[in-house]
Amino acid sequence: MVYLTRKIEFSASHLYHNPAFSAEENRRVFGKCNNPHGHGHNYVLEVTVAGEPDPATGMVLDLKELKDILQREVTDRMDHRFLNYEVPELAGQIPTCENIATVIWRLLEPKITRGHLSRVRLYETPDLFVDCYGDDGGAPAGKGAAR
Amino acid sequence: MRLQLWRRYRFSASHRLHSAQLGEDENRRVYGKCNNPYGHGHNYVVEVAVSGPVDPATGMIANLADLDAFVEREVIEPFDHKYLNEEIAEFQENVPTTEIVCIEIFNRLRPFPLARLERVRVEETERNSFEYAGEPQGANHE
């Protein structure tokens, strides 16, 4: 098994606000992230696909194909958007790193037809990131338990 | 699908690699420059991974304010700008290699009550890093 990782960036704004909470509770739970005007991040997304290299091409999957999938499913949807209002997949959810990574996983997983999606790592900042793994427990070499 | 939330922290500290179980020559041979009796320091980076269900009300595995406060209290405050060998009781008997520091940080963070501690990764420098995921999975060194 070989693990192939491609990295992209997108920039987007968001805010954390739960309409079921009082204004005071929203401020207490979400702190600065509750600013009603929103704020932004440069998100960095690392997508890892696992598979066996095709003997004819030497590739797990064509990077151009992966690049196009990421452009269509992630960049076109999320780059320079206000995540709360412009990404329907996040409607009704707090757009935390956990929830955005989950949405990205669900968007990408069915589109990866050569090899399989092994990990989605989404950095909100260099100091805060989320890993999303499939239920098979796959982890890229050197970054997790051996299979 | 499983999620892990990672958070990155930093502390700066000094240490000396010297084992009471080895003679002076053996210590110098095994630890080289790290055996300097005055010690030396690093800017350590600590990455902490936790897992658990995402609370639908907050979208969070754990509130970062809670995680940050816990890590600050258990690790950063006691370790930052300290001489690890002398000022951390656990390192008076165990040589504070970054392997041992990584395990100690994991043990200190394991009781975090609001999510499950999955893994601790410590960078001693940008070139050397160590990971520990507790037992029985065992340590995973990069």
Side-chain angles (χ1 to χ4, degrees):
Chain A
M1 188 76 76
V2 177
Y3 297 89
L4 173 160
T5 300
R6 184 162 178 94
K7 180 159 90 170
I8 63 165
E9 293 184 31
F10 61 93
S11 302
S13 56
H14 68 174
L15 73 92
Y16 295 174
H17 179 86
N18 185 335
F21 291 170
S22 68
E24 194 279 324
E25 200 173 7
N26 269 298
R27 274 193 298 275
R28 186 179 57 74
V29 173
F30 297 126
K32 284 196 288 193
C33 300
N34 186 232
N35 175 3
H37 299 289
H39 62 279
H41 298 285
N42 297 324
Y43 290 90
V44 175
L45 176 69
E46 292 176 2
V47 174
T48 302
V49 176
E52 298 295 341
D54 182 317
T57 64
M59 298 173 178
V60 173
L61 86 170
D62 189 335
L63 273 178
K64 175 70 165 62
E65 189 186 329
L66 181 58
K67 183 181 172 187
D68 290 345
I69 292 170
L70 295 178
Q71 176 72 38
R72 214 165 42 235
E73 300 300 328
V74 180
T75 311
D76 291 350
R77 257 192 189 81
M78 300 188 182
D79 189 36
H80 287 72
R81 301 289 181 182
F82 199 126
L83 299 175
N84 299 64
Y85 307 132
E86 297 188 271
V87 178
E89 290 81 3
L90 283 164
Q93 297 184 53
I94 315 287
T96 56
C97 206
E98 290 93 320
N99 280 339
I100 302 167
T102 301
V103 164
I104 291 173
W105 176 279
R106 289 182 179 148
L107 288 168
L108 294 180
E109 207 269 333
K111 306 290 181 189
I112 308 289
T113 50
R114 289 175 186 277
H116 68 272
L117 187 59
S118 172
R119 191 186 76 178
V120 162
R121 170 172 282 192
L122 181 67
Y123 287 87
E124 184 175 288
T125 72
D127 293 339
L128 171 64
F129 52 103
V130 162
D131 284 340
C132 216
Y133 296 101
D135 292 321
D136 65 355
K143 274 286 185 184
R147 289 199 173 204
Chain B
M1 198 200 61
R2 297 178 298 117
L3 282 180
Q4 286 187 355
L5 173 71
W6 286 88
R7 186 76 159 141
R8 195 171 166 97
Y9 304 91
R10 290 164 188 78
F11 69 89
S12 301
S14 58
H15 70 167
R16 181 199 185 198
L17 302 188
H18 182 89
S19 171
Q21 295 168 35
L22 304 175
E24 290 297 322
D25 287 349
E26 189 72 353
N27 266 298
R28 270 195 297 277
R29 191 182 62 74
V30 171
Y31 295 124
K33 283 197 291 192
C34 300
N35 187 235
N36 173 8
Y38 296 105
H40 63 281
H42 297 288
N43 296 322
Y44 291 89
V45 172
V46 180
E47 290 181 352
V48 176
V50 298
S51 68
V54 175
D55 181 344
T58 63
M60 297 171 179
I61 290 174
N63 195 312
L64 289 181
D66 296 325
L67 182 61
D68 289 354
F70 190 83
V71 175
E72 174 70 27
R73 191 178 72 231
E74 299 298 325
V75 175
I76 307 301
E77 199 277 332
F79 284 30
D80 190 35
H81 286 71
K82 298 291 172 59
Y83 183 31
L84 298 178
N85 300 58
E86 296 291 336
E87 298 184 83
I88 302 292
E90 289 80 359
F91 300 141
Q92 290 178 1
E93 292 187 359
N94 297 313
V95 182
T97 59
T98 305
E99 291 92 321
I100 301 297
V101 171
C102 188
I103 293 170
E104 176 60 21
I105 291 173
F106 185 94
N107 289 338
R108 285 173 178 241
L109 297 181
R110 200 202 307 257
F112 181 60
L114 302 173
R116 176 190 158 84
L117 180 66
E118 290 283 347
R119 185 173 289 259
V120 168
R121 176 172 177 271
V122 179
E123 289 180 11
E124 179 181 270
T125 69
E126 287 182 6
R127 294 175 200 278
N128 300 319
S129 69
F130 303 85
E131 293 189 35
Y132 185 63
E135 307 296 346
Q137 297 97 320
N140 282 280
H141 292 215
E142 270 192 279

